Each structure stands twice: as structure tokens, then as C-alpha cells.
Amino acid sequence: MTSQKKIEKKLFGTNGVRGVVGKDLTPDLVLSIAEAFGTMRKGRIGIGRDTRTSGETLVHAAKAGLLATGCEVVDCGILPTPALQYLVREQFDGGVMITASHNPPEYNGVKIIEPDGTEMGDAETVKLEQIIFSRTFTPVPWDRAGKESYSPNLLEHYINAIVDSFPPDTGAGMTVAVDPGSGPACLTTARILTDMGCHVLTVNGVIDGTFPGRMPEPTVEGLRNLADLVVSSGAAFGVAHDGDADRAVFIDEMGRYVEENQEFALVARHICHENPGTIVTPVSTGQVVERVAQLEGSDVVYTPVGSIYVARAMRSLIDQGRKIIFGGEGNGGLIFPAHQFCRDGGMTAATMVAIQKESGKTLSENVNLLPQRKIIKDKLTTTRGLRIIEALKNEYSQEKTDQTDGLKIFRGDSWGLVRASGTEPIIRIIIDADSDANANTLHQDLRSSVQKNNET
Ligand code: MG
């Protein structure tokens, strides 16, 4: 386990600030966030956005706040969050991404990016929030006001960095179907795969903040058109992104959705096979990843839930001398440390091309070769989440447990995780077991404990 612990934040959740535009998320709020960020950090700040209709308004609010506090601003336009993170590490002193990731179209949000390309950590975010709440901004006088400047071909840097990570023509002869979901990956993923030599077909490939083809969260239902395209075109696989393209999910050659823990395990197997080491992931990630890592002479370190905890743990473990080769979450958000320390959907799509090329097998064959686990995901509505978790820690104190995030109970080859959501009044239960029977027993046990403690 790592020493990473969550710190309570008021405005920022696990992935920045998010809300319904005009209600929770206003230009005023974005202005304040940018003024606070500009008060804390100086220099050249890259600003980007996803394709949401409110993006342009909010970008201007962010620019105003940064310029007023003396920052230089570079408008990077519409681009995936990982593209902005890459550019910040490469050429800026910080970044502001206007995005609500997978939320519906009426939402928007802000992610703050540090000079190393990672999202701002908890301790710094709490300082940022304090500046916002106390309104202790430090605007600069008239003769030191910030300026907007331009930087050409920004997306090319990101696209080329990914393409250059693979041997030339890795995708030659391979057809891939891409569904960027009308989001910013319309500008990147098809280009990346084409530059790798793939023949690329797209669905929902035109930028549109109303998301006419499907919602920004990739789901089995939403990816039906992609699945049809994969099957009818004979593509090797289909790939789809969430609304800011830090995540990628896959459709196999038979049109079936690849469960994200299995996706994680497939990529992990590929990376560990080439270069064994340590993988970093939250406690909620399926055991299939650890099983695959062990088979390839690698191991796994677990963190609290949230990609930022994974990214920061990866960096601190490297500083401690550990060989960290890969990280990510069981939702299609994968982190390739040789490329950068954040989830990257474009890099994930490109890596799947390399996996298919090297394995010589179909994607469904590769998925079938993975260790099989029984997973149950359940949730219960309650406003007493944290108190229930505390009660469960007492109740299960005689068993082997882990408290990195919520309570994880180990029984033989199986485990159950009970967590209170940080954003909704719910408790989540995840079971990862070696058989249906063990999964059901553990699930019923944990569910009835949660219910019992919710009533008392
Ligand atoms: Mg996202």
C-alpha cells in the first residue's frame, strides 16, 4: 500500500470541479478558480476545452482570471485532456482544462494541471479553494497585466509523441473503427491510428457539443453503432472514448464490449511481458490485473480510488527507486509512465494496435486467454456512508482487511470492497471472486451488513 490518503476538498471532487452549467458551474466560478490559480502559479498557462457548447464561454472566463493575475495564456482550443497535459509538461507552466469528462452535455467543469502534466494534488487544491473562498486573489497592476500568446501545431506534438512510441507501420493491414463520441478525440485518435498505418473508419467523428450520436459516457448501449461498424467492416477492433478522451474502451471483432478490467489486464500483460515491474492501481480494480501481472513476473501496488492518487503514487514510488511500468483504473483510464503520468485514451488505442499486431490473435481470443473472475457491482442509497464503513471496520475486524479506501475484505481467493461515494449519497459494493458461489455468499454478507447498519 502507499501512504497516499485522501484530504477532504469542498469544491473539487476526484477529477476537478464539475456541475450543471449556469446552475452550479457559472462563468463567475470559473473566473474565481482561474484568479486563484493565477495567484498561486505564474508563467505560461495552456487553456483547453472539450466540445461542450458551454466551453467557449468558460474558456473566456478562465482566460480573464489568469490574465488579471499576470499569467501569460495560450489557447490550445479543443483537445483531449491528456493532450493538454502532454503540452503542459512539454512547454507550459500549468494548464486549465474546461471539461466535464463523461458527464451529460449540460455539465461542464475545470481541471487544473500542474507543470509536470498531472492534475493538481489534494494539498495544493485545498490551498486553491481557500483562496477562492476567502477571495484573496492578487490581481496585478495595469502595467503587468497578462498577455495572450500563440503556439503553433500544438496537437501535432501530442499525436507525434504517441505515434513515435511505436515502430513504423505497426498498424499496417489492420482496420480499426473509432468512436470519439463527437468529443475532442475527433481531432486525434483517427489521426494517431492512421499515422500508425491502420485503415480507420469512424462513427460520431464530427465535433458536436450536443452529442447527437451518443452521450459522453461510453456504454454498451451507446456503442451499438460502433459495434455494428466493427462487424460490418471486418475491423480488428473498435475503440471509443469518454468526453475528454482520457479513457478508451474497446469492442472486439465480434462486436462485443470488452469489460474495462479485462482491457486493463490485456494491456498490463503486454507491458509486463516486455518489461516486468510494478503496476499501480486503485483498490477497486479487478484481480484479473494482479493475476496477469504475477504470471508475467510483475506485481501491483494499490491506492485510493481516483486517477490522481494513482498518478501521484506512481511518481513517488519512482522517486523511491521502484520500477513502475504501468498504472490505471478499471474504467478504461490507463497511464503509461514512459509517455506521461496521466490517463491517456489516445495512447491506449495505439497500444491496442501493437497488442493485436504482436499477438497474432483476435481481440476476443486475447480476452478469453485472461484469468476468469466473477465480478458483482452493487450500490445502496444512504446518507450515512462514512458511518456505515466505520461500523463495518469493527464488524469485520477479525478478518483480513485493507483500509486504503473504504473497507476491503479478503476471503481466500476472493475479496469484497465497500466504499462510500465521494460525490453521491451511495455506498458501492464490489465483489471479485473465484466462483459464482463465493461471489454470491460474500455479496449477500456485505449487503446485509450495510443494510443492517443503515437502519440502526
Ligand atoms: Mg474523462
Side-chain angles (χ1 to χ4, degrees):
M1 302 307 144
T2 69
S3 58
Q4 301 251 331
K5 277 277 172 246
K6 292 188 169 181
I7 303 175
E8 207 56 46
K9 293 168 286 188
K10 293 189 177 68
L11 213 48
F12 284 72
T14 326
N15 283 298
V17 177
R18 260 182 232 168
V20 173
V21 172
K23 191 163 157 259
D24 324 299
L25 196 90
T26 58
D28 257 7
L29 176 60
V30 175
L31 175 68
S32 298
I33 294 168
E35 284 176 297
F37 187 41
T39 296
M40 288 173 73
R41 304 273 190 271
K42 296 297 172 212
R44 240 175 140 221
I45 309 295
I47 300 189
R49 63 179 173 105
D50 65 20
T51 58
R52 287 162 201 278
T53 52
S54 57
E56 208 156 358
T57 305
L58 300 177
V59 158
H60 282 93
K63 279 185 190 176
L66 290 165
L67 294 168
T69 45
C71 293
E72 185 184 333
V73 165
V74 178
D75 190 339
C76 303
I78 291 173
L79 80 178
T81 299
L84 183 65
Q85 290 178 288
Y86 181 83
L87 293 169
V88 167
R89 200 188 58 165
E90 195 190 44
Q91 50 177 286
F92 301 134
D93 301 306
V96 176
M97 182 71 192
I98 305 294
T99 178
S101 186
H102 59 269
N103 286 64
E106 65 272 25
Y107 283 76
N108 215 330
V110 184
K111 288 182 182 179
I112 300 290
I113 301 166
E114 293 281 29
D116 65 359
T118 60
E119 275 178 61
M120 185 176 264
D122 282 356
E124 293 298 289
T125 302
V126 168
K127 283 187 207 162
L128 184 89
E129 289 187 345
Q130 278 163 356
I131 296 172
I132 295 169
F133 293 133
S134 62
R135 302 197 62 80
T136 46
F137 312 121
T138 52
V140 293
W142 67 272
D143 55 350
R144 299 215 320 265
K147 286 189 169 57
E148 183 165 0
S149 67
Y150 298 89
S151 192
N153 306 321
L154 288 169
L155 271 183
E156 300 299 313
H157 293 268
Y158 169 72
I159 290 169
N160 293 340
I162 294 176
V163 173
D164 293 345
S165 303
F166 300 89
D169 297 322
T170 296
M174 196 183 299
T175 299
V176 179
V178 177
D179 180 351
S182 311
C186 290
L187 303 172
T188 51
T189 296
R191 271 282 313 282
I192 290 165
L193 301 184
T194 302
D195 287 357
M196 290 175 75
C198 300
H199 174 229
V200 176
L201 304 164
T202 57
V203 55
N204 300 319
V206 177
I207 280 173
D208 189 332
T210 66
F211 303 100
R214 69 166 171 91
M215 287 293 105
E217 172 71 13
T219 60
V220 173
E221 190 55 42
L223 300 188
R224 196 132 288 165
N225 288 337
L226 176 65
D228 288 345
L229 179 61
V230 169
V231 173
S232 65
S233 67
F237 65 87
V239 57
H241 297 291
D242 71 323
D244 66 336
D246 53 358
R247 288 158 49 200
V249 301
F250 294 91
I251 300 288
D252 74 16
E253 80 286 358
M254 295 160 85
R256 295 174 309 193
Y257 194 98
V258 178
E259 195 273 325
E260 291 93 335
N261 286 290
Q262 294 188 315
E263 166 196 338
F264 191 167
L266 263 185
V267 182
R269 186 170 66 190
H270 171 78
I271 289 175
C272 295
H273 191 70
E274 286 187 341
N275 180 26
T278 298
I279 297 171
V280 182
T281 192
V283 287
S284 52
T285 295
Q287 273 201 66
V288 64
V289 173
E290 187 171 335
R291 294 301 165 97
V292 160
Q294 283 167 348
L295 289 171
E296 296 291 346
S298 299
D299 63 354
V300 176
V301 170
Y302 290 100
T303 70
V305 175
S307 69
I308 189 163
Y309 301 104
V310 177
R312 298 212 163 260
M314 290 171 81
R315 299 218 63 154
S316 78
L317 288 164
I318 287 172
D319 289 344
Q320 292 164 35
R322 284 284 286 270
K323 187 183 172 196
I324 304 298
I325 51 165
F326 187 41
E329 304 176 297
N331 62 3
L334 304 181
I335 304 175
F336 302 82
H339 170 54
Q340 62 172 341
F341 286 92
C342 65
R343 296 174 295 182
D344 193 324
M347 187 66 181
T348 306
T351 304
M352 190 58 79
V353 173
I355 290 171
Q356 289 314 113
K357 156 116 177 174
E358 278 165 37
S359 72
K361 295 185 176 69
T362 65
L363 179 50
S364 66
E365 285 170 343
N366 278 327
V367 169
N368 287 336
L369 286 169
L370 293 168
Q372 299 299 309
R373 304 290 303 173
K374 174 66 184 176
I375 309 286
I376 298 174
K377 290 183 182 175
D378 189 12
K379 59 183 174 189
L380 291 93
T381 304
T382 174
T383 52
R384 309 175 60 206
L386 292 173
R387 266 193 290 168
I388 292 171
I389 302 292
E390 287 310 309
L392 260 58
K393 283 177 183 171
N394 280 327
E395 200 171 318
Y396 289 90
S397 61
Q398 300 304 312
E399 299 202 41
K400 186 187 172 199
T401 60
D402 175 84
Q403 300 184 10
T404 301
D405 195 342
L407 182 68
K408 199 172 187 177
I409 296 134
F410 297 90
R411 283 190 191 158
D413 257 352
S414 309
W415 56 247
L417 175 69
V418 188
R419 283 183 63 242
S421 165
T423 51
E424 299 166 89
I426 55 174
I427 275 192
R428 292 184 195 281
I429 302 175
I430 305 177
I431 308 294
D432 184 317
D434 48 5
S435 70
D436 285 6
N438 286 343
N440 291 334
T441 307
L442 189 51
H443 178 224
Q444 277 158 21
D445 186 358
L446 293 181
R447 186 173 227 281
S448 63
S449 287
V450 170
Q451 278 171 332
K452 187 183 69 195
N453 283 291
N454 195 23
E455 287 154 14
T456 52

